[in-house]
mmCIF file of all heavy atoms in Angstrom:
data_model
loop_
_atom_site.group_PDB
_atom_site.id
_atom_site.type_symbol
_atom_site.label_atom_id
_atom_site.label_comp_id
_atom_site.label_asym_id
_atom_site.label_seq_id
_atom_site.Cartn_x
_atom_site.Cartn_y
_atom_site.Cartn_z
ATOM 1 N N LYS A 518 -10.533 25.348 -106.764
ATOM 2 C CA LYS A 518 -10.940 26.461 -107.630
ATOM 3 C C LYS A 518 -12.448 26.609 -107.767
ATOM 4 O O LYS A 518 -12.914 27.388 -108.572
ATOM 5 C CB LYS A 518 -10.318 26.340 -109.028
ATOM 6 C CG LYS A 518 -8.824 26.130 -109.038
ATOM 7 C CD LYS A 518 -8.105 27.263 -108.346
ATOM 8 C CE LYS A 518 -6.616 27.007 -108.322
ATOM 9 N NZ LYS A 518 -5.941 27.464 -107.145
ATOM 10 N N GLY A 519 -13.237 25.835 -107.025
ATOM 11 C CA GLY A 519 -14.693 25.948 -107.071
ATOM 12 C C GLY A 519 -15.333 24.620 -107.430
ATOM 13 O O GLY A 519 -14.648 23.628 -107.655
ATOM 14 N N GLY A 520 -16.643 24.616 -107.456
ATOM 15 C CA GLY A 520 -17.391 23.420 -107.825
ATOM 16 C C GLY A 520 -18.308 22.966 -106.702
ATOM 17 O O GLY A 520 -18.515 23.682 -105.714
ATOM 18 N N ILE A 521 -18.839 21.777 -106.863
ATOM 19 C CA ILE A 521 -19.764 21.255 -105.868
ATOM 20 C C ILE A 521 -19.018 21.062 -104.554
ATOM 21 O O ILE A 521 -18.011 20.358 -104.496
ATOM 22 C CB ILE A 521 -20.425 19.949 -106.331
ATOM 23 C CG1 ILE A 521 -21.333 20.235 -107.530
ATOM 24 C CG2 ILE A 521 -21.236 19.319 -105.199
ATOM 25 C CD1 ILE A 521 -21.987 19.016 -108.142
ATOM 26 N N HIS A 522 -19.513 21.687 -103.518
ATOM 27 C CA HIS A 522 -18.906 21.624 -102.193
ATOM 28 C C HIS A 522 -19.549 20.527 -101.364
ATOM 29 O O HIS A 522 -18.867 19.780 -100.667
ATOM 30 C CB HIS A 522 -19.042 22.983 -101.498
ATOM 31 C CG HIS A 522 -18.451 23.028 -100.140
ATOM 32 N ND1 HIS A 522 -19.206 22.864 -98.987
ATOM 33 C CD2 HIS A 522 -17.179 23.218 -99.741
ATOM 34 C CE1 HIS A 522 -18.414 22.954 -97.948
ATOM 35 N NE2 HIS A 522 -17.180 23.177 -98.359
ATOM 36 N N HIS A 523 -20.899 20.419 -101.420
ATOM 37 C CA HIS A 523 -21.584 19.401 -100.620
ATOM 38 C C HIS A 523 -22.982 19.127 -101.158
ATOM 39 O O HIS A 523 -23.528 19.918 -101.931
ATOM 40 C CB HIS A 523 -21.684 19.827 -99.145
ATOM 41 C CG HIS A 523 -22.541 21.026 -98.911
ATOM 42 N ND1 HIS A 523 -22.049 22.305 -98.949
ATOM 43 C CD2 HIS A 523 -23.862 21.151 -98.625
ATOM 44 C CE1 HIS A 523 -23.014 23.167 -98.697
ATOM 45 N NE2 HIS A 523 -24.144 22.494 -98.507
ATOM 46 N N LEU A 524 -23.524 17.994 -100.751
ATOM 47 C CA LEU A 524 -24.930 17.656 -100.978
ATOM 48 C C LEU A 524 -25.605 17.690 -99.618
ATOM 49 O O LEU A 524 -25.079 17.136 -98.648
ATOM 50 C CB LEU A 524 -25.081 16.266 -101.599
ATOM 51 C CG LEU A 524 -24.476 16.078 -102.978
ATOM 52 C CD1 LEU A 524 -24.673 14.633 -103.432
ATOM 53 C CD2 LEU A 524 -25.077 17.038 -103.986
ATOM 54 N N ALA A 525 -26.764 18.335 -99.551
ATOM 55 C CA ALA A 525 -27.481 18.482 -98.289
ATOM 56 C C ALA A 525 -28.801 17.723 -98.356
ATOM 57 O O ALA A 525 -29.553 17.866 -99.324
ATOM 58 C CB ALA A 525 -27.745 19.956 -98.002
ATOM 59 N N PHE A 526 -29.067 16.933 -97.328
ATOM 60 C CA PHE A 526 -30.265 16.108 -97.274
ATOM 61 C C PHE A 526 -31.068 16.428 -96.023
ATOM 62 O O PHE A 526 -30.511 16.623 -94.943
ATOM 63 C CB PHE A 526 -29.892 14.616 -97.276
ATOM 64 C CG PHE A 526 -29.147 14.210 -98.506
ATOM 65 C CD1 PHE A 526 -27.767 14.108 -98.490
ATOM 66 C CD2 PHE A 526 -29.824 13.953 -99.690
ATOM 67 C CE1 PHE A 526 -27.065 13.740 -99.632
ATOM 68 C CE2 PHE A 526 -29.126 13.597 -100.835
ATOM 69 C CZ PHE A 526 -27.758 13.478 -100.809
ATOM 70 N N LEU A 527 -32.378 16.463 -96.176
ATOM 71 C CA LEU A 527 -33.271 16.674 -95.041
ATOM 72 C C LEU A 527 -33.434 15.383 -94.256
ATOM 73 O O LEU A 527 -33.576 14.307 -94.850
ATOM 74 C CB LEU A 527 -34.647 17.136 -95.533
ATOM 75 C CG LEU A 527 -34.689 18.523 -96.149
ATOM 76 C CD1 LEU A 527 -36.017 18.745 -96.859
ATOM 77 C CD2 LEU A 527 -34.453 19.582 -95.094
ATOM 78 N N VAL A 528 -33.399 15.489 -92.950
ATOM 79 C CA VAL A 528 -33.682 14.369 -92.051
ATOM 80 C C VAL A 528 -34.701 14.859 -91.021
ATOM 81 O O VAL A 528 -34.759 16.048 -90.721
ATOM 82 C CB VAL A 528 -32.410 13.822 -91.352
ATOM 83 C CG1 VAL A 528 -31.444 13.229 -92.376
ATOM 84 C CG2 VAL A 528 -31.717 14.896 -90.525
ATOM 85 N N PRO A 529 -35.513 13.940 -90.482
ATOM 86 C CA PRO A 529 -36.563 14.369 -89.557
ATOM 87 C C PRO A 529 -36.071 14.732 -88.158
ATOM 88 O O PRO A 529 -36.680 15.553 -87.479
ATOM 89 C CB PRO A 529 -37.502 13.169 -89.500
ATOM 90 C CG PRO A 529 -36.641 12.007 -89.838
ATOM 91 C CD PRO A 529 -35.608 12.520 -90.801
#
Side-chain angles (χ1 to χ4, degrees):
K518 309 301 178 215
I521 294 177
H522 180 263
H523 66 271
L524 297 178
F526 299 99
L527 292 168
V528 296

